[in-house]
Amino acid sequence: QVQLEESGGGLVQPGGSVRLSCAGSGVTLAYFTTGWFRQAPGEEREGVACISSSDSKGDDRTYYVDSVKGRFTISRDNEKNMVYLQMNNLKPEDAAVYYCATAPACSSRWTLFAASWGQGTQVTVSS
């Protein structure tokens, strides 16, 4: 059974940083695109970032939504079967529940094909 578990959220001040973690079980995340999407109350789901499956060269392709480019970084640790989202210079509009999910490919439309995801982790940005 595929399970993804997000962690690392919390309350952070504007301009602060937090790192989200996504742990996979029953699935080898290296074989899939893995991404993070977020959803704030009353808002649509928004794909924040994704990272492609690891190819033979070890090169990972990434995608970021424009609003987080230069501030967020997605990465993976295949040995630990983990995917991370480093979030820097957080803004109030980044506040949401963040979910990690697998998908067939990494592109701007990846959330349309998102498969399994976890329960999410809340990120609150407030002073």
Side-chain angles (χ1 to χ4, degrees), residues 4-7 9 20-22 33-41 43-51 63-65 67-68 72-74 83-87 93-123:
L4 300 176
E5 183 175 0
E6 304 91 344
S7 62
L20 305 183
S21 299
C22 173
T33 282
T34 306
W36 292 88
F37 66 87
R38 63 189 178 187
Q39 190 159 23
E43 300 289 333
E44 295 286 326
R45 177 191 301 181
E46 179 182 42
V48 175
C50 59
I51 186 167
Y63 159 81
Y64 298 93
V65 70
S67 61
V68 308
F72 291 10
T73 303
I74 190 170
V83 172
Y84 305 99
L85 185 68
Q86 177 67 42
M87 306 163 64
E93 52 264 40
D94 294 318
V97 179
Y98 283 73
Y99 302 84
C100 69
T102 58
C106 182
S107 72
S108 61
R109 302 173 66 217
W110 76 272
T111 56
L112 296 177
F113 309 100
S116 302
W117 56 86
Q119 296 298 310
T121 184
Q122 175 75 50
V123 174

Side-chain angles (χ1 to χ4, degrees), residues 14-31:
S17 298
V18 68
R19 188 177 80 157
L20 305 183
S21 299
C22 173
S25 61
V27 61
T28 301
L29 295 179
Y31 296 163

